[in-house]
Amino acid sequence: MEDTISKDHKDSKFQILPSLKERYSPRVFSEKPVSEVELRSLFEAGRWAASSYNRQPWRIIWGIKGSKTYDRIFDCLGEFNQSWAGNAPVLLITAFKTKTDEGQENFHALHDLGLFMGNVTTQAQHLGIALHHMAGVDFKKAKKEFKFPEEYHVATAVAIGYYGGNPKDLPEELRAQEDPENRTRMMQREFTFNGDYTNEPGLTSDNAGTLDNTTS
């Protein structure tokens, strides 16, 4: 793990927390189990996330491998994610409440769920635990399976486990993606604007080598 992490530091243009630099999303995990106590630590970090009007609209279904809940979550995953997610010691379903207590649409609920999972992800990294967030989940099936009321929406599934494992356990087409060095990120100049939004084709990461990487 240390060798993998040190290689990835070179792409950070500014000083940020090591736990943010080192994070990546594996599809293979160590056989070391993740305990319920450790999961509760992650959820506690999420519990303290900011949310609009402190509504805390996030809802989480969790299952440890070997449990019925784990199998039920797995059955809601898309076929592609099922090809690898069984490596994970823990699976989650994330959902959010789409309405306020007054019955109005909560436009910020998905944003708030993202803040919750950001806290969870950072706390996990601090403990040496990895998360892989998945869009490939049958949200209608999951909503029915886990008996969510009508005003809730299932957003993602998440695989959780300690870093490690053998990439050879993955389908061959996924193995190259396990190297964190293959990660790419947009340059800041592509998504931050001190003024009006612009989409100039000359300011992209494709020609990043010709640009001043320390300005945005």
Side-chain angles (χ1 to χ4, degrees), residues 69-182:
T69 302
Y70 183 102
D71 293 340
R72 290 167 68 198
I73 295 172
F74 184 85
D75 287 343
C76 293
L77 301 181
E79 183 177 354
F80 171 77
N81 287 326
Q82 286 184 343
S83 72
W84 63 266
N87 292 308
V90 176
L91 292 176
L92 308 183
I93 290 286
T94 76
F96 60 92
K97 186 179 180 183
T98 63
K99 303 289 186 181
T100 68
D101 290 343
E102 296 73 35
Q104 302 298 313
E105 185 172 358
N106 185 356
F107 293 101
H108 305 101
L110 182 56
H111 172 271
D112 296 343
L113 173 61
L115 290 173
F116 175 94
M117 289 307 301
N119 276 21
V120 169
T121 301
T122 303
Q123 178 69 14
Q125 185 66 35
H126 176 70
L127 298 175
I129 296 173
L131 273 68
H132 192 116
H133 303 264
M134 296 175 274
V137 56
D138 186 333
F139 67 91
K140 291 183 179 179
K141 180 178 180 179
K143 181 174 180 175
K144 182 177 180 181
E145 173 67 27
F146 293 103
K147 299 179 174 59
F148 281 104
E150 181 59 32
E151 68 270 22
Y152 288 84
H153 179 67
V154 170
T156 63
V158 186
I160 299 180
Y162 279 93
Y163 286 104
N166 190 340
K168 291 182 179 180
D169 293 336
L170 292 170
E172 186 173 356
E173 64 272 16
L174 296 180
R175 294 173 190 171
Q177 299 180 36
E178 284 305 293
D179 186 349
E181 281 206 311
N182 293 334

Side-chain angles (χ1 to χ4, degrees), residues 45-57:
R47 176 173 173 254
W48 290 100
S51 64
S52 177
Y53 287 93
N54 197 30
R55 290 190 174 107
Q56 305 169 58

